[in-house]
Amino acid sequence: MHPETHWNRVYSTKPTDTVSWFQQHATQSLQFIRATGAPVTASIIDVGGGASTLTDDLLVAGYRNITVLDLSGAALAAAKARLGVVVADVKWIEADITAVELPQHAYDIWHDRAVFHFLTTTEARQAYVSAVLRAVKPGGHVIVATFAEDGPAQCSGLPVMRYKADELHAEFGQPFELVHHEREDHHTPSGATQKFIYCYCRKSAL
């Protein structure tokens, strides 16, 4: 099954607050974004943001230059319905991050919680990193969260990659300085615990 078909089916058949990756508030992501020191005028892209509540939290915190990219039109539709009138304050992109051509040096902050670990081929990961290199401004910030080395081996019926902090940083390579990493115990709506690793990197200013 094509990934787009898979995720559209998930978001068309399940309430968004019942999927395993749901967070009522994206607290850890918001803390990392604030820790960059970037102003509320910073350009932020949330890759795989779909129906995530991070958009809500960013808007409440005063950020207004927000882009949400997701493969699933159904996920984006769920977010738009939830946000209501403030939906116009957000730019929405329905696209595959390994195939889309984002504008060059457009974003101060790149955020991704739980997309990168679905990229199980070297080619897909290289395409993703190329997108980051193109789209993030020199000196910009990259926050990526994946399943940790002791996290689940599958999610939503799909295989995933699991990482230690140094392994995740190595996927991005020399142009990115690892500033900080942190683990998270994510408690799913069903009561399970999933181990995540967050890595915050700064892109070279050169």
Side-chain angles (χ1 to χ4, degrees), residues 40-204:
V40 293
T41 54
S43 178
I44 301 171
I45 183 168
D46 187 17
V47 175
S52 168
T53 57
L54 176 60
T55 306
D56 312 53
D57 292 335
L58 288 170
L59 290 169
V60 169
Y63 296 91
R64 284 296 181 271
N65 195 355
I66 304 166
T67 298
V68 178
L69 182 148
D70 202 280
L71 183 66
S72 168
L76 295 174
K80 292 175 184 179
R82 185 184 69 240
L83 286 167
V85 294
V86 296
V87 70
D89 292 333
V90 181
K91 182 178 180 182
W92 308 90
I93 302 175
E94 182 180 344
D96 180 345
I97 191 56
T98 66
V100 67
E101 185 168 331
L102 295 170
Q104 186 171 19
H105 298 167
Y107 305 106
D108 297 290
I109 300 173
W110 177 290
H111 174 269
D112 162 12
R113 177 182 179 268
V115 171
F116 192 76
H117 63 208
F118 283 107
L119 306 182
T120 58
T121 68
T122 300
E123 294 76 15
R125 294 192 295 275
Q126 288 176 343
Y128 180 106
V129 174
S130 293
V132 178
L133 283 167
R134 175 181 173 82
V136 175
K137 296 176 183 178
H141 312 277
V142 179
I143 301 159
V144 176
T146 69
F147 285 142
E149 73 274 14
D150 52 350
Q154 285 192 335
C155 181
S156 190
L158 300 176
V160 297
M161 303 288 290
R162 297 179 289 181
Y163 294 95
K164 297 178 181 179
D166 58 345
E167 294 170 340
L168 182 54
H169 176 231
E171 292 286 347
F172 289 79
Q174 189 62 37
F176 300 91
E177 173 195 2
L178 179 60
V179 178
H180 182 62
H181 60 85
E182 196 168 308
R183 288 173 61 93
E184 177 192 44
D185 287 348
H186 168 61
H187 302 290
T188 72
S190 67
T193 299
Q194 297 177 335
K195 307 289 187 178
F196 274 79
I197 184 72
Y198 284 70
C199 283
Y200 160 38
C201 297
R202 187 174 293 117
K203 183 184 172 186
S204 170

